[in-house]
Amino acid sequence: MAELIEIKDVKKIYHVGAEDVHALDGITLTMKKNEYLAIMGPSGSGKSTLMNLIGCLDTPTSGSYRFNDREVRDLSDDELARIRNKEIGFVFQTFNLLPRADAAHNVELPLIYAGIPRADRRRKVEQALEAVGLAERARHRPSELSGGQRQRAAIARALVNEPSVILADEPTGNLDSKTGEEIMQVFEKIHGAGNTIILVTHEEYIARHSGRIIRLRDGLVESDVSV
Amino acid sequence: MQVSESLRIAVVNLRVHKVRSLLTILGTVIGVMSVIAIVSIIEGMNKYVSERLLEEGSNTFYVDKFGMITDYQEYLDALKRKDLTVDDARALERLSTSILVVGSLAQGRNNVRYGSREVSSVEVRGVDEGFQAASTVEVEHGRFLSREDVLRRRPVCVLGSDVRDKLFAGLDPLGKEVRVGRHRFSVIGVAEKKGSLLGVSQDSNVMVPLTAFQKAFGSRSAVTLIAKARDQESLQLAQDEARAILRARRKVPFSKPDDFSILSAETFMELYKNFTSTAYLVTVGIAALSLVVGGIVIMNIMIVSVTERTKEIGIRMAVGARRAEIMFQFLIESLILSGAGGVIGVLVGVGLAALISNVTPLPAAVKAWAVGTGLLVACGVGAFFGIYPAARAAKMDPIVALRYE
């Protein structure tokens, strides 16, 4: 079976003033379907950049990134948007929910851009909210939800289009440890349901929930250990 | 993405900023409103004036030595011209084949009194026996001035209905004696009411025999000829004949222009059209200006809105919105803004036109094309000035937008 993610000698260089910053300095890694991967590293190690590349929000300066057997560098803006929409679900540290829309509408957003008819959208939104245990709070706006509930809504949004991979960037960073643990339970549950998850974190106990830990340092893979 | 979603987003965002949205569309509202109001009034006046002029008799024309005077020098030059006379009127009748009848008219203003009642500044008309046939005066009560009255210089008069109402207030005026200035005239008839033209009453006058007029108020007063062509088709021919006959009688050299002028309903209409087309241009100019200013305001607010919602744009891009969809969303928003401005402008403009036609004598006719153009232009403004902010939103880097606080 083909790899879901195939990264070969990927470099990302930012031009900051006259200086070149090597955010990623030649990364190679592969990832299969239904893996649960954690990316760790100190700040400045390049983990956010790697996340953005994997999430097709950005493209590498050099090297090859194949996602589902397609070379991402060759894709147009619209094709990247389509991959983000159908293949990738983002979960952010700061939740990134639309403040003026209720939980259900936030979850519905990827379906709208996917052009799915209204009746199907409603059903899928219900299912996703059910899966994260937020069905009761569907009609509440983010400001009326607790931090944990907001993150559940965000996870439901990431799940709703049945993506190939869920990318979670410090999903517990803005939550107390008890709520964080609850959120990790949610991730474990959806991993159990067959989803592929990439988790970025700098907390050891959070990373332990995954099946494989990749440590980055200075834009390079320092270690790649299966737990 | 569905249009309904874009509309929903736009409406939600505009609702959140109600006051800001209202202020934003003010320029568009004013632009569209002034177009609708002014076009309605001008169109109403056009309709009204052309109807009234046609009613006045489309186969009559006027000849006098002044014509349409537009500046003081012209007036001074015209003053030096020879007066037209009743003899000219008779000559036109005799020599022209297409002129049916010619009336003569001399005008002045004077106070009219009956007993202790007085009407000031009444138009006093000295008319000859051809006047009634050439113009559209009808008598409602009594009789009109006859040939005999004119020949014998009888001190009799026909009152306009306004003057009758003010002096006699329900009494029968026939046979009574009124004083026009220092001169006494007995009332022999009352003219039929003609109503008002652009707020000026057509019934505030007294008609007396031309001969009596000249005896009382001076024989040197200029005479206007009112000629009636046989029918509408021969109107132009009748005017040409009148011109030839009068040039001959007044011995105007071949190389000189007419020293008199011929005015018909068409001449008035043309002059009027000239005036209103200028008014149209001025309106269009003002409206265009306020629409451009309104458009810039919309652009400015949309830029603010795009900046405020940078994070939202980032989120939408992260969940799969294409750049075109982001662009479309913001374009829809500026279109809704300007479209709302257009609709409000139309409503206020129509209301304003209705108000003006109610409280002033100006009539108003709301034109569908003006409403359509107003709305279309408003939306066009929104679309045009919305392009730049929307493009700015669509060009954002999703990573930078997501990080924006």
Side-chain angles (χ1 to χ4, degrees):
Chain A
M1 185 183 136
E3 310 281 349
L4 174 67
I5 288 169
E6 229 180 322
I7 294 172
K8 251 185 222 155
D9 196 29
V10 157
K11 292 186 181 177
K12 184 71 192 181
I13 301 165
Y14 293 110
H15 305 278
V16 183
E19 244 180 298
D20 284 354
V21 178
H22 292 248
L24 297 178
D25 209 9
I27 296 232
T28 301
L29 70 89
T30 57
M31 193 181 168
K32 288 188 167 46
K33 270 207 172 105
N34 202 23
E35 264 195 278
Y36 189 172
L37 175 84
I39 297 173
M40 293 196 69
S43 56
S45 60
K47 51 185 199 303
S48 289
T49 308
L50 183 58
M51 268 292 279
N52 290 336
L53 283 180
I54 295 174
C56 294
L57 285 166
D58 210 346
T59 48
T61 312
S62 70
S64 153
Y65 168 33
R66 297 182 77 81
F67 182 87
N68 258 342
D69 238 13
R70 294 177 80 187
E71 180 56 58
V72 170
R73 273 179 74 179
D74 300 340
L75 300 179
S76 68
D77 265 6
D78 280 2
E79 286 167 321
L80 289 176
R82 192 167 171 78
I83 288 187
R84 289 198 297 270
N85 181 239
K86 300 248 176 173
E87 308 286 345
I88 290 163
F90 286 99
V91 178
F92 301 94
Q93 178 176 3
T94 53
F95 321 128
N96 282 345
L97 298 169
L98 298 183
R100 288 191 206 108
D102 60 23
H105 189 78
N106 268 293
V107 175
E108 194 183 5
L109 217 53
L111 300 173
I112 290 170
Y113 289 111
I116 289 168
R118 187 179 293 267
D120 292 349
R121 293 204 308 252
R122 194 163 300 160
R123 188 172 44 75
K124 286 179 183 238
V125 167
E126 261 171 44
Q127 282 171 2
L129 284 170
E130 197 75 53
V132 299
L134 203 65
E136 322 277 75
R137 311 287 284 170
R139 289 293 151 206
H140 292 262
R141 291 183 177 195
S143 57
E144 299 157 346
L145 297 175
S146 70
Q149 288 171 331
R150 288 182 209 180
Q151 198 58 299
R152 283 166 197 267
I155 294 170
R157 179 178 66 191
L159 271 176
V160 75
N161 238 350
E162 293 156 24
S164 302
V165 59
I166 290 175
L167 291 179
D169 188 0
E170 305 272 10
T172 59
N174 274 21
L175 303 171
D176 60 68
S177 53
K178 184 173 165 287
T179 315
E181 197 53 48
E182 282 170 24
I183 292 299
M184 293 321 293
Q185 298 304 323
V186 176
F187 276 114
E188 237 153 69
K189 187 180 154 206
I190 61 179
H191 176 241
N195 286 290
T196 313
I197 298 173
I198 299 177
L199 191 70
V200 171
T201 181
H202 56 257
E203 309 251 29
E204 203 67 44
Y205 76 96
I206 296 292
R208 290 243 172 75
H209 286 273
S210 71
R212 178 182 168 197
I213 300 178
I214 291 174
R215 288 174 206 273
L216 297 184
R217 185 173 291 275
D218 299 329
L220 289 165
V221 176
E222 193 184 48
S223 67
D224 184 345
V225 188
S226 289
V227 181
Chain B
M1 180 175 62
Q2 283 103 332
V3 178
S4 68
E5 170 67 6
S6 296
L7 282 174
R8 202 198 70 88
I9 298 165
V11 170
V12 165
N13 280 302
L14 298 182
R15 260 217 313 255
V16 169
H17 301 289
K18 282 192 200 76
V19 175
R20 184 165 98 180
S21 304
L22 272 177
L23 290 175
T24 305
I25 62 176
L26 211 55
T28 318
V29 170
I30 291 171
V32 173
M33 178 198 78
S34 43
V35 171
I36 300 291
I38 296 177
V39 166
S40 298
I41 286 163
I42 291 178
E43 285 294 328
M45 274 166 57
N46 281 353
K47 186 161 163 263
Y48 182 74
V49 166
S50 59
E51 273 170 10
R52 291 309 296 252
L53 282 176
L54 283 181
E55 191 180 294
E56 201 55 49
S58 55
N59 34 357
T60 58
F61 60 92
Y62 297 74
V63 188
D64 75 1
K65 69 172 184 173
F66 291 107
M68 293 283 184
I69 301 281
T70 52
D71 67 44
Y72 188 61
Q73 191 54 47
E74 252 180 74
Y75 174 72
L76 292 181
D77 291 345
L79 266 185
K80 292 182 203 139
R81 293 170 175 175
K82 215 190 302 177
D83 283 330
L84 290 158
T85 64
V86 179
D87 292 340
D88 290 324
R90 298 293 85 79
L92 288 184
E93 276 180 345
R94 203 171 57 241
L95 298 172
S96 164
T97 54
S98 33
I99 293 175
L100 206 60
V101 60
V102 180
S104 313
L105 166 70
Q107 284 160 299
R109 283 200 176 269
N110 226 317
N111 297 346
V112 180
R113 264 178 33 214
Y114 173 71
S116 58
R117 289 175 185 255
E118 178 168 335
V119 188
S120 57
S121 190
V122 173
E123 185 190 342
V124 181
R125 297 173 166 180
V127 303
D128 69 359
E129 65 275 20
F131 181 80
Q132 189 183 20
S135 70
T136 52
V137 177
E138 296 292 336
V139 172
E140 167 197 308
H141 191 44
R143 65 171 178 88
F144 197 73
L145 304 165
S146 69
R147 192 177 152 79
E148 290 291 293
D149 295 330
V150 178
L151 283 177
R152 294 179 189 276
R153 217 189 276 161
R154 280 179 186 148
V156 292
C157 69
V158 172
L159 299 180
S161 63
D162 274 7
V163 178
R164 188 262 321 264
D165 293 346
K166 284 178 188 151
L167 288 185
F168 292 96
L171 292 176
D172 182 8
L174 291 193
K176 304 286 193 315
E177 211 164 61
V178 296
R179 290 173 75 122
V180 179
R182 292 178 294 107
H183 307 273
R184 294 164 189 278
F185 292 88
S186 19
V187 179
I188 55 165
V190 177
E192 212 168 61
K193 194 170 177 67
K194 292 184 89 174
S196 62
L197 183 64
L198 297 176
V200 180
S201 169
Q202 303 290 291
D203 303 301
S204 183
N205 56 54
V206 172
M207 283 171 280
V208 302
L210 182 60
T211 45
F213 181 92
Q214 285 171 333
K215 183 188 173 205
F217 307 109
S219 58
R220 298 288 305 146
S221 51
V223 165
T224 301
L225 306 184
I226 301 161
K228 184 174 192 171
R230 264 206 318 271
D231 46 43
Q232 175 97 57
E233 286 72 46
S234 47
L235 178 64
Q236 193 52 51
L237 180 61
Q239 289 182 40
D240 292 344
E241 286 180 350
R243 175 169 292 118
I245 293 162
L246 287 173
R247 282 181 73 96
R249 281 179 62 84
R250 295 160 70 90
K251 303 191 171 56
V252 181
F254 178 71
S255 56
K256 289 275 164 61
D258 294 349
D259 65 349
F260 54 90
S261 78
I262 294 177
L263 303 169
S264 64
E266 268 168 59
T267 326
F268 286 115
M269 206 58 211
E270 251 163 55
L271 186 86
Y272 177 77
K273 284 266 165 67
N274 270 340
F275 165 72
T276 54
S277 63
T278 313
Y280 259 132
L281 275 180
V282 171
T283 314
V284 168
I286 292 170
L289 209 67
S290 61
L291 282 172
V292 167
V293 172
I296 291 170
V297 171
I298 288 177
M299 178 161 72
N300 182 37
I301 287 299
M302 287 310 295
I303 289 173
V304 170
S305 180
V306 165
T307 308
E308 280 176 351
R309 285 151 64 194
T310 300
K311 184 127 194 163
E312 176 193 326
I313 294 165
I315 294 171
R316 288 181 185 278
M317 285 177 163
V319 301
R322 284 177 292 139
R323 296 195 185 279
E325 286 168 328
I326 298 290
M327 173 126 189
F328 186 68
Q329 178 190 330
F330 282 95
L331 263 184
I332 285 266
E333 217 166 295
S334 56
L335 259 176
I336 288 184
L337 270 177
S338 61
V343 170
I344 297 175
V346 165
L347 293 179
V348 176
V350 169
L352 204 65
L355 187 74
I356 289 175
S357 70
N358 268 335
V359 300
T360 72
L362 296 174
V366 176
K367 288 280 161 180
W369 65 260
V371 171
T373 312
L375 288 179
L376 213 68
V377 169
C379 289
V381 163
F384 180 77
F385 287 97
I387 287 175
Y388 174 68
R392 218 165 119 138
K395 269 211 305 267
M396 280 185 186
D397 179 345
I399 298 171
V400 175
L402 273 171
R403 228 180 273 139
Y404 185 89
E405 286 303 329

